[in-house]
Structure formats: C-alpha cells, structure tokens
Amino acid sequence: MIKLNSKFSQKIPFFFLYAATILTIIPVITIIFVIIKNGLSAINWEFLTSMPRDGMRAGGIFPAILGTFFIILLTIIFVFPIGICAAIYLNEYAKNNLLTRVINLAIINLAGIPSVVYGLFGLGVFVIFFKLGVSVVSGALTLSIMELPVVITTTRSALNSVPYSFREASLSLGISRWLTIRHIVLPNAVPGILTGSILSIARISGETAPVLFTASALYVSYLPHSMFDQVMILPYHLYVISTQVPNVRKDMIYATAFVLLILVLGISCIAIVARIYFKRRKKW
Amino acid sequence: MLKIKANNFNLYYNDFHVLKNINIDIEEKKITAIIGPSGCGKSSFLKSINRINDIVEYMRVNGEIIISGQNIYDKRVDVNSVRKNVGMVFQRPNLFPISIYENISFGLKINKIANNKSTIMAIVEESLSSVMLLHDVKDKLYKSALLLTLEQQQRLCIARVLAINPQIILFDEPCSSLDNVATKKIEELIMKLREKYTVVLVTHNMQQAARISNDTAVMICGRIIEFASTEQIFTCPSKKETESYVTGRFMI
Ligand SMILES: Nc1ncnc2c1ncn2[C@@H]1O[C@H](COP(=O)(O)OP(=O)(O)O)[C@@H](O)[C@H]1O
Ligand SMILES: [Mg+2]
C-alpha cells in the first residue's frame, strides 16, 4: 500500500536542524555587526599608522599592528619548513613502528593542549632558560611549537589526498622515492598544503595566550627594530585598553577589535579564495 | 631464450603467505599469460617482477627472481634500474594530471634518458606512434592527458613505458576497464609488442590469454599449478584443476 507523505513528521526534524544552523551563525553576525557599528568611525589613516598617545587613550595602534605582523612572519619562517618536512617524513618515509606511533599520538594530543600552557612553556624555556627574553623571537618560537602539530596534520592530509596510483606510476618508471615525492606528490599536494597553511596563519594571528608572557609588552614607546625586542601586539593591546587603562574612548577599543578581526578574517578569506581557485584547476 | 626465472619464490603480506614456491621460466620476446581466479596472487607475482611491491611495507619475499641472469632481489641491485628495465601497465590507466607530452617526457627527463628538447620530442613521437596514438593526439600534445578516452589513456600508459626503453613489459589486466572494441585493439597492440619486448600478461579473461599468448601459467591459490604452451593449456592440459578452470567448471 502506498502511504501519503506525512508532511508534519518531515518538517519537525527539518525545523530543528535549521534552527541549530541559524543559532550557530547568529552570534558571529552579531559580533561582527557590533564591532563595525561601534568601531568603524574611529578607523582612519592616522589610527592605523601612528603611535599611541596620552597613555594609549589617543593616537593610533601602529606598533601593535607591526608587532603582530613581525611575530606572524617569524612564526611562518620557523613553523612551515619544519612542519612540512616532518609531515613528508612521517607520511612518505616513516616505517609503522613504535616510535612512529608514539610521534603520531603525541601530535594528536599536542593539538589539544590549551594555548596558555604553551605560553607558560615558552616563558620557561625560551624567555628564561635560553635567555631570549620577552621578545619577538620567543613569542614566535612559542607559537611555532603550538602550531607545529596542526601544520603537520594538515600537510599530511594534503599528501594523503594525492592518489596512490600517481606514486605507483612514477615509481614503476624507475623514478626514485625522493624524486617521486619531489616531482609528483608535492606539486599535487601544494593546493592542500597552501590552504591549510593560510588557515594556520589566521589562527596564529589571533592567538593571545602563547605570546602574552613571551613577546608582548603593555606599552613600547618605539617601533621594534630587531627580533629580540619586546613588542606590542593587537590582541593584548585590545585587552589592555579595554580593562587596564581607564577612560579609553569606546570607539577606539572597537576599532582595535575591528582591525584584529579584519586581519584574521582577511587571512581566512585568502585561504577560501585559494581553495576555490585550486578546486577549479584540479584535474583529478 | 630464457628471460625471467623465478626460483622457489615466496611472498608474504605480514603472515599471509600469498605466493607459494613459484617456479617459472619465462621466454624472451614471447607473451606469457598468467591466468587464475581473482585473489590468487597474480598481481602480487607481477608486481614482484619489477619490485613495485616493495612499497608495501609489510611485504616480505624469499627465493629468487632472475632477470637476464641477475637475481633482482640481490641486496646489491638498484631497485630503480630494475624498474626501468621492467615496465608495467596497470589495471586502470594511471596517467599523471599533466599534458600528454609531459606524461612521456617526465620519465625521460627525470631518468636523464634525454635532456634536449628535440631528442625528447623525437622519443615522444616515436613512442606515441609505436602505440598507434600519434595520429590521434598530435594536435593536442600539450592538452591534459586525462581528456583522452580510457583506451587512449591506456595506450599512452604503454607509450610512457616504451619511452624508458625497457626489455620487459608487465600488463596487469590492462583491458579490464575497457569495452570489447577497445580491448580488441589493445590486444593487437600487445601482440605487436612481442616483436621487441618480453611480455607478461595477467588476465582473468581466459579468452584473452587464449587469443594472444604463447605460453600460459595457471595460478590457483598462490601456486602455479601448470605452465605450458597456451595451446596445450587450452586443448589438452595435464592437470585436472587446469582443465576444470579453463573450461569454467572451477570452484574454489
Ligand atoms: N597490499 C596488500 N596487503 C595485504 N594483502 C594484499 C595486498 N595486496 C593483495 N593482497 C592479498 O593477497 C591476495 C592476492 O592478491 P592479488 O595478488 O591482488 O591477486 P589477484 O591479482 O590474482 O587478484 C589477496 O587475498 C589479496 O587480498
Ligand atoms: Mg589483480
């Protein structure tokens, strides 16, 4: 017997799933809306390019932008070469033995450690033990250690997405393992590695805890000129002017948040565009 | 003349004993077919002849496979030189996602077989014409190889192997993804290759073995139960299992 479609019983699950989806995006949209509404009026060229004045109650946030930028740059230099090389080794060369399994387990678990723990680790190891002081380099090293497992994991999944048959075809032509990786696996994994890396950069740029004790200063009266300098960074500066300094204009606080948001979302958008571009070009 | 000789060859995946005491003498410039039910180890044996099976980490072998007098499992042997000498064509065309031209030139450049443009072009054209593909693709050499039909792709895979100039070519069910017409054409090509190369062809299509091979080995459950001229295997096999397999009465 053919039953009539009971519309009602179809609609209930649909409604709940739909409501759950809407619930997840409402806060995001609200945050963006509030920040833009309150902060946009304070954004101007001077705000972006000048030093803070009057105990950070006036002037701009240039040193914080520059400090964040330096730390990101140095972290990129540390983390990607090492992370990508380690991922290639683990994925393409490592034998499945006890050591490899321990390393894999460590990578999975390291990604779950709260970032403030990395901050304290960086303080103990880089700032104090290696005497690098509170500096761009200590902050970048701490962020690198935090981000390394993520970079390794995303790179490995990019390498894994290259079909096994490509490797088999290349090896069967008498091409060595390394040259196969170099000329076949890597070029085809580049899109995945690149998008994963850009997302990692977005994550790094918004992080506060790991750089709080290792790189950031409340206020620095000069622009950083070496990687052993303390710097101001955006997330910490935002925290400082919203809670530590009395009588800061509200629009300045929101404008700072706006810049940080644009930085992180902007980098994520680059990743999205890159992903779309590579997907169009992908031939397999 | 003898080209490939397996001597008490055994292969294991972990503890799974797949190939059991394989002994076979494969003649030069002939087509030797290996037939048998699926899962009996045909591909595993084929992949042992060019050591492409080495990439399976938990694979172990013992015994010898001797090619032109050299045991290829000898520790001193360079595995890449074995693979250059023993080309392989797989079940599904496995071209790289680059142009037709680059698919062939890739192996030439990396293996340093040729490095100037005109020599490479000459080899590309020569290998394409050996597989009767040049005419179809000469206007689109720089287009993606993945735009070709499956039959053309399989021909290009063969051309890619020929360009490396091997002595032996292994085919692992090369027609299993093709229709009847394409199968027929690839079979003609393989027959033509016999003039210059030693061919080992794995197939589960018995008619195919009967049509194009000189010798046939019947493999069941990891053992070669009979190896003789194709004519003898299909007309008066000496073993009962062979007879029931080739007449389609074989049951596992
Ligand atoms: N890489 C592998 N790892 C583990 N077992 C395998 C692997 N390749 C093949 N086998 C097993 O070995 C047996 C023989 O496989 P195969 O050589 O592919 O047979 P055929 O080509 O005759 O179908 C099968 O039981 C198969 O499941
Ligand atoms: Mg097979």
Side-chain angles (χ1 to χ4, degrees):
Chain A
M1 199 185 97
I2 298 168
K3 273 191 183 168
L4 287 177
N5 185 2
S6 150
K7 272 193 170 165
F8 190 63
S9 69
Q10 292 285 319
K11 270 195 173 152
I12 289 176
F14 173 80
F15 172 78
F16 279 105
L17 297 172
Y18 186 70
T21 312
I22 293 294
L23 274 180
T24 58
I25 60 166
I26 282 177
V28 179
I29 291 174
T30 316
I31 291 170
I32 294 176
F33 177 75
V34 169
I35 289 178
I36 292 177
K37 179 171 170 283
N38 293 312
L40 202 58
S41 60
I43 301 254
N44 54 42
W45 188 245
E46 201 215 331
F47 180 73
L48 296 176
T49 58
S50 65
M51 303 291 291
R53 278 182 283 112
D54 300 341
M56 295 188 273
R57 288 182 193 86
I61 55 168
F62 187 55
I65 295 178
L66 206 64
T68 300
F69 184 73
F70 270 5
I71 290 181
I72 295 175
L73 202 68
L74 204 58
T75 309
I76 290 173
I77 293 170
F78 290 147
V79 78
F80 290 117
I82 295 175
I84 290 170
C85 290
I88 293 172
Y89 174 77
L90 286 171
N91 219 54
E92 308 289 326
Y93 286 101
K95 292 228 161 66
N96 183 19
N97 55 25
L98 188 66
L99 180 67
T100 314
R101 268 174 296 196
V102 169
I103 292 175
N104 285 334
L105 203 68
I107 289 171
I108 293 166
N109 288 309
L110 280 174
I113 293 179
S115 55
V116 68
V117 176
Y118 283 103
L120 290 170
F121 172 81
L123 176 66
V125 174
F126 302 123
V127 177
I128 297 169
F129 184 77
F130 286 112
K131 301 196 171 70
L132 294 169
V134 176
S135 61
V136 174
V137 67
S138 296
L141 285 169
T142 311
L143 279 176
S144 301
I145 291 202
M146 187 191 80
E147 205 57 18
L148 204 54
V150 180
V151 172
I152 291 176
T153 310
T154 54
T155 306
R156 285 190 67 171
S157 68
L159 292 171
N160 274 328
S161 74
V162 179
Y164 183 72
S165 66
F166 291 5
R167 295 176 172 82
E168 205 174 42
S170 172
L171 292 168
S172 75
L173 293 172
I175 292 164
S176 69
R177 222 155 142 188
W178 164 243
L179 292 175
T180 296
I181 293 170
R182 162 86 182 67
H183 292 285
I184 296 293
V185 181
L186 283 182
N188 286 296
V190 159
I193 295 176
L194 208 66
T195 38
S197 303
I198 301 170
L199 287 176
S200 287
I201 297 170
R203 207 175 89 107
I204 293 166
S205 0
E207 275 297 341
T208 319
V211 277
L212 190 59
F213 320 119
T214 54
S216 74
L218 193 79
Y219 174 70
V220 184
S221 60
Y222 53 88
L223 293 175
H225 41 67
S226 106
M227 63 177 189
F228 298 102
D229 280 347
Q230 273 193 49
V231 287
M232 295 173 68
I233 55 165
L234 277 173
Y236 185 54
H237 181 65
L238 180 60
Y239 166 77
V240 168
I241 58 175
S242 26
T243 62
Q244 308 295 303
V245 184
N247 306 323
V248 180
R249 273 184 11 241
K250 214 172 125 201
D251 61 342
M252 270 189 70
I253 298 173
Y254 279 103
T256 308
F258 183 76
V259 172
L260 182 58
L261 194 75
I262 291 294
L263 182 75
V264 176
L265 289 185
I267 297 171
S268 303
C269 279
I270 298 174
I272 292 167
V273 172
R275 184 166 291 171
I276 293 170
Y277 171 75
F278 286 124
K279 207 162 243 165
R280 282 233 184 99
R281 275 193 5 166
K282 187 163 172 175
K283 303 164 208 116
W284 35 273
Chain B
M1 225 178 81
L2 182 63
K3 189 72 186 172
I4 307 167
K5 182 180 181 62
N7 251 345
N8 291 327
F9 188 76
N10 288 276
L11 181 145
Y12 307 77
Y13 294 118
N14 285 324
D15 295 331
F16 179 27
H17 194 172
V18 176
L19 297 177
K20 296 158 191 159
N21 265 325
I22 304 286
N23 286 291
I24 189 172
D25 290 351
I26 293 173
E27 296 281 319
E28 187 172 23
K29 294 186 183 163
K30 279 191 179 177
I31 300 176
T32 302
I34 302 175
I35 60 174
S38 81
C40 69
K42 304 183 297 295
S43 298
S44 298
F45 180 57
L46 206 61
K47 289 177 176 179
S48 305
I49 303 178
N50 68 346
R51 292 188 53 181
I52 194 70
N53 232 356
D54 285 17
I55 57 183
V56 179
E57 197 189 308
Y58 46 85
M59 189 239 21
R60 278 185 300 127
V61 300
N62 61 49
E64 297 178 319
I65 291 182
I66 296 165
I67 294 178
S68 312
Q70 169 76 57
N71 175 17
I72 59 166
Y73 283 91
D74 188 316
K75 284 206 168 55
R76 290 164 302 182
V77 166
D78 167 34
V79 58
N80 297 316
S81 70
V82 172
R83 291 175 188 159
K84 269 175 248 179
N85 189 36
V86 187
M88 179 155 191
V89 176
F90 294 80
Q91 216 161 335
R92 293 195 59 82
N94 55 1
L95 295 168
F96 304 120
I98 46 182
S99 73
I100 295 169
Y101 172 85
E102 288 170 310
N103 260 283
I104 300 180
S105 68
F106 175 71
L108 295 175
K109 284 184 193 155
I110 306 283
N111 282 324
K112 301 201 171 68
I113 292 170
N115 39 31
N116 80 58
K117 263 209 151 81
S118 57
T119 324
I120 292 178
M121 195 44 149
I123 299 178
V124 168
E125 286 184 345
E126 189 195 326
S127 23
L128 284 173
S129 80
S130 313
V131 299
M132 288 163 287
L133 192 60
L134 185 62
H135 180 74
D136 295 351
V137 304
K138 63 172 179 286
D139 302 324
K140 45 182 178 184
L141 280 182
Y142 302 103
K143 295 264 167 63
S144 169
L146 303 188
L147 300 172
L148 298 174
T149 66
L150 279 179
E151 184 206 333
Q152 291 174 324
Q153 289 193 25
Q154 200 61 304
R155 283 178 190 273
L156 183 52
C157 287
I158 300 171
R160 184 172 65 180
V161 167
L162 297 186
I164 309 290
N165 198 20
Q167 296 182 318
I168 300 169
I169 305 178
L170 312 172
F171 288 89
D172 191 356
E173 306 193 19
C175 302
S176 60
S177 54
L178 305 179
D179 62 36
N180 287 338
V181 180
T183 298
K184 197 107 207 138
K185 289 189 186 157
I186 296 286
E187 284 179 6
E188 280 164 18
L189 173 58
I190 295 174
M191 293 223 269
K192 206 188 72 160
L193 292 175
R194 181 181 59 188
E195 294 162 15
K196 286 164 80 180
Y197 305 92
T198 305
V199 172
V200 186
L201 168 74
V202 159
T203 174
H204 63 219
N205 177 341
M206 273 175 288
Q207 284 71 42
Q208 183 169 71
R211 277 194 298 267
I212 68 175
S213 69
N214 303 100
D215 295 327
T216 297
V218 182
M219 185 182 259
I220 290 174
C221 294
R223 289 178 205 280
I224 290 181
I225 57 162
E226 189 164 356
F227 177 52
S229 76
T230 301
E231 197 186 338
Q232 189 183 339
I233 293 281
F234 285 94
T235 54
C236 52
S238 60
K239 294 261 174 50
K240 260 196 101 62
E241 296 105 304
T242 309
E243 191 187 346
S244 45
Y245 180 70
V246 299
T247 54
R249 272 180 274 126
F250 180 83
M251 300 284 163
I252 304 175

